[in-house]
Amino acid sequence: MLEALNYSFIQNAIIAGLLVSIAAGIIGSLIVVNRMVFLAGGMAHTSYGGIGIAIYFGLPIFLGATVFSIGAALLMSYLTLYQRERIDTFIGLIWACGMAIGIILVDLTPGYNVDLMSYLFGTILAVGSDDLIFMAILVAFIIVVVSLFYRDILAVSYDSEYASLRGINVKVFYTLILVLSALTVVIAIKVVGLILVIALLTIPIYIAEKLSNSLYGMMVISALLSSLFTLVGLYLSYTFNLTSGATIIIVSAMSLFMFIIYKKIRVGA
């Protein structure tokens, strides 16, 4: 694969994979700790509505998906805070409507023949320079926000009642975590697609959770694991001509499987 590094699309793919891995490590940890996996899955599929809007109006895909996903995150935040008894129904409704809107708008776009698989399973090898800039900006924003409010986010994530007694606005930070999750989902679309993004946000985090004793440690380890899985997945997909996003997830899943076996053998020894 060394000769492949001379190609710009491979270089872009590697950079994109590392950027997404950093975001996935940070936000994936927050998603798991706050038990938001179902919400993140809803946002991942809802973001397809933003893709459809961008295609229909001739806007950048990332821009449309970002705005639409943030709107969905704010709506989900409101529903989970004030309509908890029906949250599964509302999330399913938002999920379905978002994808339906995207599909219909794509159908209505004159002369546009889109391959839906590219958004469902990712097209990391098609990442361009403009995409990298947008992804880098979003990742930098995520890092800055989490760094500035780390203590507050930590308190809200592990003990919201204690955080509230400390004067922390739990609702605001809960919403902030959802918005950051939406941004992470958006930048992960190019790498693994809408269908597989949840695996990227949970598998490395599960392993990291067992190897660390702090939220910060979980973020760092999961980001490193995500980077490793992404690079190995890219290598295998290039070597055997496989779909990159799916290969990255299979590598992650196999690594999780081996980790679980290792832990069981170690405990039994």
Side-chain angles (χ1 to χ4, degrees):
M1 171 137 177
L2 291 178
E3 69 279 3
L5 294 176
N6 295 322
Y7 299 113
S8 60
F9 71 93
I10 293 292
Q11 298 170 3
N12 290 345
I14 292 174
I15 296 173
L18 294 177
L19 287 173
V20 171
S21 296
I22 294 171
I26 296 172
I27 302 304
S29 299
L30 296 180
I31 289 173
V32 171
V33 169
N34 286 276
R35 299 179 180 178
M36 293 179 174
V37 175
F38 181 56
L39 293 176
M43 282 186 289
H45 290 79
T46 303
S47 64
Y48 192 80
I51 294 174
I53 290 174
I55 292 173
Y56 185 78
F57 290 102
L59 302 173
I61 298 296
F62 270 140
L63 177 61
T66 298
V67 174
F68 198 84
S69 296
I70 290 176
L74 294 175
L75 179 58
M76 289 182 185
S77 175
Y78 173 81
L79 293 174
T80 52
L81 289 172
Y82 299 104
Q83 301 286 339
R84 284 186 177 274
E85 68 280 1
R86 291 288 183 268
I87 181 57
D88 55 342
T89 302
F90 286 125
I91 299 304
L93 179 62
I94 296 172
W95 177 329
C97 288
M99 292 206 72
I101 290 171
I103 293 171
I104 289 174
L105 288 176
V106 168
D107 289 340
L108 293 176
T109 303
Y112 191 86
N113 186 18
V114 65
D115 179 14
L116 296 180
M117 295 287 286
S118 64
Y119 296 111
L120 296 179
F121 297 100
T123 51
I124 188 172
L125 295 180
V127 173
S129 300
D130 292 339
D131 295 329
L132 287 179
I133 293 173
F134 193 87
M135 294 168 72
I137 292 173
L138 290 185
V139 172
F141 177 77
I142 290 170
I143 293 174
V144 170
V145 171
V146 172
S147 299
L148 288 176
F149 301 106
Y150 177 77
R151 292 185 179 276
D152 293 329
I153 292 175
L154 178 66
V156 171
S157 298
Y158 283 99
D159 194 337
S160 58
E161 292 184 5
Y162 170 71
S164 182
L165 291 174
R166 283 185 51 196
I168 299 174
N169 193 322
V170 175
K171 294 179 181 178
V172 168
F173 281 99
Y174 177 82
T175 302
L176 177 62
I177 293 172
L178 278 178
V179 170
L180 294 178
S181 301
L183 296 179
T184 302
V185 164
V186 169
I187 64 175
I189 289 175
K190 275 282 189 177
V191 176
V192 294
L194 303 178
I195 301 296
L196 305 175
V197 65
I198 295 305
L200 188 66
L201 291 173
T202 53
I203 293 176
I205 283 72
Y206 177 88
I207 300 175
E209 189 177 19
K210 305 299 181 184
L211 299 176
S212 62
N213 53 13
S214 67
L215 179 60
Y216 176 78
M218 192 188 309
M219 290 178 176
V220 173
I221 294 175
S222 57
L224 292 175
L225 288 174
S226 294
S227 299
L228 177 62
F229 298 157
T230 299
L231 292 176
V232 173
L234 277 174
Y235 171 77
L236 293 176
S237 67
Y238 178 83
T239 302
F240 299 101
N241 193 28
L242 303 172
T243 301
S244 300
T247 306
I248 291 170
I249 298 305
I250 289 298
V251 170
S252 302
M254 291 300 296
S255 299
L256 173 60
F257 181 69
M258 290 187 291
F259 177 77
I260 292 175
I261 292 177
Y262 167 76
K263 292 288 288 186
K264 287 186 177 297
I265 293 176
R266 186 177 180 184
V267 171

